[in-house]
């Protein structure tokens, strides 16, 4: 079994120096996020992740979930871990105090959730669903609904699910068929089947609250006819406690490649009398509510990319420092650990460089969420909202793809041992494979980036971002010790500006060609954003070195990581750019019969 | 469960037009490889792969292998499949007629083994071991040993294993500890433990012949002290039949991420009286014999990359043609299969382009093996031997890495269904993960390429190859219809020439930096070689079109695939080149304490 330690040094450095914790803590509603409190929270979370969640991760993978009749049996260790998680109040970290949460900014909850995902991804999907559902109810539920359901969801007393997918409606929710029929009592009866429902059934909590997309009888066709319903597993009695079983049944669970500890259920609604449900928000506004939550949800999956990559990196580093094999290619000495082989070092330095790039990007973006929500100056708030909107497909798409690469590379460091399940690194690789798929595949993220986030607004926000990144390069160029990094960044920025200009110059007849280059575009932008963040990190490290603050070894390594990224990762941006401009054209003309 | 059909059109096109089947069939000892016979063999093999091996692939994954005491139980369906495989004579396809084989050239056996790996990788490792062992015995065994053992290995009556790895001796065989002590009878007793022994124990055959690396009492230290021994599971009685059980015991099997149907055993030799073994070849020459076989073995794993990628591609294409979801981004129409989404098409065209590149490369290289072995003009034979030596690390390293990428991309085409085991594509992804590791990791291939194959001979063969590739580009440039492909190829060749020049100009003090760039170098060379092969393919397709031969749709698609490769894959060569030159430098200076 592999260990996990929260990467506290990186977390603290990024929060304090790069993602603007002091600025966020100065915002209204964020005042609690004092450096001391944040440090204490991270430390406690780290202990919980290392001590409670990480040790049961492999056990959960081995046991998996079972269907017994309609019951779903999750791994044995889940109950105690969930009870401890709930009792410690971790669930409500970022949720509003009026419903029992702690109301801390996203910038603080992000590293904490990263720890949960690193230590036990399959388990963490359970409380994550509560946070997602709480956010939906906060947006759309009536005051009465909030009073009835929200506090229990925030505390975790009841569990939550999201029911979107149906067999014919995966990425395309317009094809949703689930029906909701109004009753004379003012509620609804739901009929239909939902698939891929994470934690759709289990016995960890006395009730489960399903949030379900369905169609009202008078609903218009397509996505504009979807409404959102709350459907509890057990209807509430007069005292608000779980009473009669609702007409919702788990009819099967999936046998998946990874996240075995997280049951993926097919739920059947309304086999007999109809599943009793309550409309959340206005009729036909279901998808709109989902869309409001989408940036948050996609951001969360991006964090999973860093989280799994981090644990994979830690295990690979640990193995590379222990395993003795071969001779040092420079000195010829035997008996050294494999870390001294240049290629093993290459993999580990490359992993760490991309981890630092992604983490800095995601935490910085978490700060943007907070500023967008809370900054009193609407112009400042709006600008950060625009950045969030533009870059969420990158946070999701790029960080999950890179997260997968890191898990893959960790196996390579382990060699044959990586292919053997007992080391645990194979599990990370299997678990990670879902993250580029759920909450919208990389292709869907890329289409969103290209269509809604760039073309629709004629590149306005992207140009704004380019200017901000150029400003960083300009400042760094003045420091002769870091000027090489500025050169690398500027080269990438010119490439991105050229790609953007080219995209915007294409006419409607180029639509297929443009979308054929959407994923390379997302990779190009991700690679550039990662480089920008590492240059910022190097700049902050140099500043601390100049002021005699911090650990010089650590700060030197940050600068060296930025340098490695510029030498070995940044050049990929140019090849992605060519795939955008040339690949899409070839594709558009490629005959399907040639496949 | 996913289907498999041998990609006959590609195989025939490559064999006939690109890999030189007519030339190979004109070589001494290769005369049997007439077009008609080869077509008949491919057809029969295709039927066997589709009808016998493919249908039991998933069953083998689900059942896996079990240890019962010392017995290893393999999947139920293996026995019948193995008996059919053996009885049909597939095992001896490329082995010498004097021991019961058919003696067909490697160019013919390569597509056939590709089919076996595509249809059932875990099963195929069993007969593959017989071929490998037969080749070792042909090189090194005495006439008496050949008479006793070889025909049974060629026919598959007995199974074979290769015993190299020990817990402390993985990539570094110098650390081998297994002892072999001579007896008064003239044979040896072996003592020690071997791990990661594929098919180390099973009951599919009445005997198993282990080939084991061990040290004689007077052996020098390191790799020069290893000898090769033949150790049967059952010693032979006076009639040459399996008799007394030898002192070899399976003490555990690994729980692996993939190839579940292939048992990976820990074998203990000599727990009591010592395992009786027979020296093969001269004392202390064991590793030399292994090295002679190494190009063949590595080539075989490269073929696994194409094979698994091909099956992944077929399943992804099939799914993309069936699954209806979303709207056509150009026409706005609903109800079309996902193949019409530009990004899905991008993935499939990219998969097919890389498959054609790899397959053309590997079959062409198979032809080089045959020419190297059989060409009467030693200058011609030597040149092809040099190409084999130079490019085997690329065939193994690059084709397995790309094979993994294709399996990964196939999952992405399937979306959520790809993560669910029942579609079978997840199994391909898991199975494939070992191929970049065994027979030498990608890092080891890259070190071999850089050190032994380029630096040691001052780039002589690489320069020869560059000239050959430039000649192709020059010819193609004259055809205005393909001149764009020549431009793309020439750009890559200039980049490769620059990298080569730079490598050769570095001094000893740059050793760590050079080896830190070895894997990017292997990727660069692989990308260039793939592009060269696709330009050759486009050239052959154009020639057939001009002569009114072949299926114009297919031939057009070959040219379009080359074009897509130049637009979307070839640009990566330039980014790898930068990682070679710049990344290694940064790495060499990177402090290990920064990890």
């Amino acid at each position: 079994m592999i260990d996990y330690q929260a990467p506290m040094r990186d977390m603290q450095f990024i929060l304090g120096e790069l993602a603007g914790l002091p600025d966020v803590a100065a915002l209204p509603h964020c005042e609690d996020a004092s450096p001391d409190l944040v440090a204490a929270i991270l430390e406690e979370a780290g202990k919980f992740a290392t001590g409670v969640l990480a040790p049961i991760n492999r056990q959960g993978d081995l046991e998996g979930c079972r269907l017994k009749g309609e019951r779903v049996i999750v791994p044995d260790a889940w109950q105690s871990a969930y009870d401890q998680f709930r009792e410690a109040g971790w669930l409500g970290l970022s949720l509003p105090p009026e419903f029992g949460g702690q109301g801390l900014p996203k910038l603080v909850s992000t590293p904490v959730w990263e720890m949960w995902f690193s230590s036990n991804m399959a388990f963490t999907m359970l409380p994550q669903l509560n946070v997602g559902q709480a956010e939906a109810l906060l947006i759309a539920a009536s005051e009465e609904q909030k009073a009835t359901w929200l506090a229990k969801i925030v505390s975790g007393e009841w569990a939550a699910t999201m029911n979107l997918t149906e067999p014919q409606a995966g990425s395309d929710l317009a094809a949703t068929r689930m029906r909701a029929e109004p009753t004379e009592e003012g509620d609804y009866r739901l009929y239909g089947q939902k698939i891929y429902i994470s934690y759709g059934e289990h016995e960890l909590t006395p009730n489960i609250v399903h949030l379900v997309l369905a169609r009202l009888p008078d609903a218009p066709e397509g996505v504009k006819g979807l409404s959102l319903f709350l459907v509890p597993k057990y209807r509430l009695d007069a005292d608000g406690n779980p009473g009669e079983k609702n007409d919702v049944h788990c009819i099967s669970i999936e046998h998946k490649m990874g996240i075995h500890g997280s049951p993926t259920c097919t739920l059947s609604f309304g086999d007999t009398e109809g599943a009793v449900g309550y409309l959340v928000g206005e009729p036909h506004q279901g998808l709109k509510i989902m869309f409001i939550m989408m940036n948050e949800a996609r951001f969360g999956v991006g964090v999973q990319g860093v989280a799994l990559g981090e644990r994979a990196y830690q295990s690979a580093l640990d193995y590379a420092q222990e395993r003795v094999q071969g001779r040092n290619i420079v000195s010829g000495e035997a008996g050294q650990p494999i870390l001294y082989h240049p290629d093993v070092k290459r993999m580990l330095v490359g992993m760490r460089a991309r981890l630092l790039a992604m983490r800095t990007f995601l935490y910085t973006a978490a700060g943007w969420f907070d500023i967008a929500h809370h900054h009193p100056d609407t112009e400042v708030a709006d600008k950060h909202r625009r950045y969030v909107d533009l870059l969420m497909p990158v946070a999701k798409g790029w960080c999950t793809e890179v997260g997968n690469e890191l898990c893959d590379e960790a196996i390579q460091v382990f060699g044959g041992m990586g292919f053997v399940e007992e080391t645990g690194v194979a599990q990370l690789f299997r678990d990670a494979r879902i993250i580029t798929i759920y909450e919208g595949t990389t292709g869907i993220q890329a289409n969103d980036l290209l269509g809604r986030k760039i073309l629709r607004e004629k590149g306005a926000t992207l140009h704004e971002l380019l200017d901000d990144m150029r400003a960083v390069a300009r400042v760094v160029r003045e420091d002769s010790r870091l000027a090489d990094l500025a050169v690398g960044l500027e080269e990438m920025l010119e490439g991105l500006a050229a790609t953007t200009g080219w995209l915007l110059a294409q006419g409607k007849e180029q639509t297929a060609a443009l979308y054929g280059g959407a994923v390379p575009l997302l990779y190009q932008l991700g690679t550039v954003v990662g480089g920008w963040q590492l240059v910022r990190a190097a700049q902050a490290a140099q500043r601390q070195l100049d002021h005699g603050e911090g650990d010089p070894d650590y700060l030197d390594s940050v600068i060296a990581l930025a340098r490695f990224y510029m030498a070995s990762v940044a050049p990929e941006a140019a090849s992605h750019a060519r795939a955008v401009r040339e690949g899409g054209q070839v594709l558009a003309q490629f005959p399907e019969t040639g496949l």
Side-chain angles (χ1 to χ4, degrees), chain A:
Chain A
M1 198 179 50
I2 53 179
D3 259 359
Y4 168 74
Q5 293 292 333
M8 217 55 96
R9 214 165 48 165
D10 284 347
M11 288 177 163
Q12 292 283 15
F13 176 68
I14 298 171
L15 288 178
E17 303 298 318
L18 294 158
L21 182 59
D23 300 338
V24 166
L27 296 172
H29 307 289
C30 299
E31 299 87 351
D32 283 353
S34 68
D36 286 356
L37 182 72
V38 172
I41 288 172
L42 293 184
E43 196 183 331
E44 281 309 306
K47 281 186 201 160
F48 195 89
T50 301
V52 179
L53 297 185
I56 60 173
N57 187 42
R58 174 147 160 78
Q59 189 184 335
D61 181 60
L62 287 171
E63 275 182 54
C65 299
R66 284 172 299 132
L67 187 68
K68 266 177 100 168
E70 288 185 16
R71 296 174 58 200
V72 172
I73 314 298
V74 298
D76 254 357
W78 267 207
Q79 185 73 59
S80 158
Y82 183 71
D83 292 344
Q84 291 176 68
F85 191 90
R86 192 168 51 73
E87 282 157 21
W90 288 119
L91 240 159
L93 197 67
S94 63
L95 294 170
E98 57 268 43
F99 297 99
Q102 282 123 278
L104 283 162
K106 194 172 189 73
L107 182 52
V108 177
S109 64
T110 296
V112 172
W113 282 88
E114 183 199 312
M115 295 182 204
W116 309 149
F117 289 125
S118 280
S119 54
N120 198 325
M121 163 102 164
F123 171 84
T124 303
M125 292 175 70
L126 173 65
Q128 183 195 17
L129 283 158
N130 282 52
V131 177
Q133 186 173 104
E135 283 163 356
L137 296 178
L138 282 166
I139 293 166
S142 67
E143 289 313 307
E144 193 197 329
Q145 286 171 335
K146 286 183 192 166
T148 311
W149 308 99
L150 196 50
K152 311 265 193 193
I153 293 299
V154 172
S155 71
E157 184 173 334
W158 297 342
T161 74
M162 303 297 273
N163 291 247
L164 282 71
T165 308
E166 300 177 11
Q168 77 296 341
S171 301
D172 181 16
L173 292 171
T176 298
R177 287 190 196 140
M178 169 85 71
R179 292 179 297 123
E181 295 181 357
T183 66
E184 291 183 358
E185 293 84 44
D187 53 28
Y188 297 82
R189 298 284 165 128
L190 278 81
Y191 302 90
Q193 211 177 85
K194 292 286 183 183
I195 62 168
Y196 293 168
I197 309 308
S198 297
Y199 285 96
E201 173 55 24
H202 57 79
E203 296 168 357
L204 293 164
T205 52
N207 208 356
I208 301 177
V209 182
H210 306 294
L211 218 48
V212 185
L213 272 188
R215 282 187 192 284
L216 288 166
D218 60 344
E221 290 274 299
V223 288
K224 288 179 182 156
L226 299 176
S227 305
L228 199 59
F229 296 87
L230 189 156
V231 180
K233 174 178 171 184
Y234 294 104
R235 298 169 60 182
L236 303 188
D237 65 17
D239 302 326
N241 293 319
E244 200 186 329
K245 176 85 171 65
N246 205 348
D247 187 9
V248 185
H249 310 272
C250 178
I251 57 173
S252 67
I253 63 174
E254 304 292 345
H255 299 277
K256 309 186 298 294
M257 180 163 60
I259 49 169
H260 290 162
S262 165
T264 304
C265 304
T266 299
L267 294 185
S268 183
F269 291 77
D271 287 354
T272 52
E273 73 274 19
V276 175
Y278 313 103
L279 180 68
V280 176
E282 297 297 309
H284 316 320
Q285 300 296 307
L287 210 67
K288 206 167 141 189
I289 301 163
M290 287 287 160
F291 262 109
I292 298 174
M293 292 171 54
M294 201 165 279
N295 276 338
E296 311 256 357
R298 292 181 168 180
F299 179 81
V301 181
V303 173
Q304 294 173 1
V306 180
L308 294 171
E310 171 69 31
R311 191 162 184 185
Y313 166 74
Q314 289 188 16
S315 357
L317 177 61
D318 187 58
Y319 185 77
Q321 287 171 331
E322 298 283 323
R323 169 74 174 165
V324 171
Q325 195 73 181
R327 287 174 182 279
N328 187 311
I329 207 152
V330 176
S331 68
E333 273 176 272
Q336 294 185 350
I338 60 171
L339 177 55
Y340 294 91
H341 290 301
D343 186 59
V344 174
K345 189 174 169 188
R346 178 189 65 87
M347 291 192 274
L348 288 162
V349 172
M351 290 172 82
R352 176 133 168 66
R354 283 172 291 169
L355 280 171
L356 190 64
M358 289 193 289
R359 188 176 282 122
T360 307
F361 167 38
L362 291 175
Y363 291 10
T364 299
W368 296 341
F369 273 95
D370 292 321
I371 296 171
H373 280 129
H374 300 299
H375 204 285
D377 182 335
T378 54
E379 217 169 280
V380 176
D382 280 353
K383 178 189 167 125
H384 289 87
R385 166 61 54 203
R386 286 196 299 277
Y387 276 20
V388 165
D389 285 344
L390 173 67
L391 290 179
M392 273 318 103
V394 179
K396 201 283 182 183
W398 184 67
C399 294
T400 57
E401 292 284 347
V402 176
N404 269 283
E405 284 170 30
L406 300 189
C407 293
D408 177 80
E409 219 151 42
I411 289 188
Q412 199 65 18
V413 171
F414 273 83
M417 284 298 286
F419 196 64
V420 171
E421 287 284 355
E422 74 193 69
T423 56
V425 70
Q427 183 192 344
L428 294 173
F429 178 73
R430 290 186 287 99
D431 285 356
R433 192 59 194 83
I434 190 60
I435 64 178
T436 64
I437 296 172
Y438 64 14
E439 290 295 338
T441 63
T442 307
I444 286 175
Q445 305 302 323
N447 287 352
D448 178 52
L449 173 68
L450 173 63
R452 288 200 201 85
K453 308 300 173 59
I454 297 179
L455 297 180
R456 189 155 75 182
E457 58 162 38
K458 298 198 168 53
T461 307
L462 182 51
H463 282 125
E464 203 175 349
L465 177 70
L466 271 165
D467 285 343
D468 277 357
M469 296 194 283
R470 284 191 184 111
V472 170
R474 260 197 311 277
V475 172
V476 171
R477 197 185 251 287
E478 298 306 308
D479 186 336
S480 60
R481 297 161 303 178
L482 304 180
D484 60 319
L485 295 175
V487 172
L489 178 57
E490 278 165 358
E491 183 187 322
M492 286 204 287
L493 293 174
E494 289 326 300
L496 181 59
T499 299
T500 311
W502 180 85
L503 289 172
L504 295 172
Q506 306 308 305
K508 274 258 185 252
E509 73 290 353
Q510 291 285 6
T511 301
L514 289 182
Y515 281 89
V519 165
L521 171 69
L522 182 145
Y523 291 157
Q524 184 185 4
L525 183 51
T527 307
V528 175
V529 164
W532 166 45
Q533 294 300 332
L534 281 181
V535 170
R536 291 183 64 229
Q539 190 182 24
Q542 189 63 59
R543 195 165 53 225
Q544 286 204 327
L545 283 167
D546 291 346
H547 293 153
E549 295 164 7
D551 169 8
D553 278 352
Y554 173 74
L555 297 168
D556 282 339
S557 82
V558 168
I559 296 170
L561 290 168
R563 210 152 259 149
F564 183 77
Y565 188 96
M566 286 304 168
S568 290
V569 183
E572 293 169 12
S575 67
H576 297 313
R578 283 190 54 181
V580 174
R581 294 171 69 153
E582 300 170 23
Q585 308 279 342
V586 179
L587 266 182
Q589 290 152 25
F590 192 93
E592 271 90 17
T593 51
L595 287 171

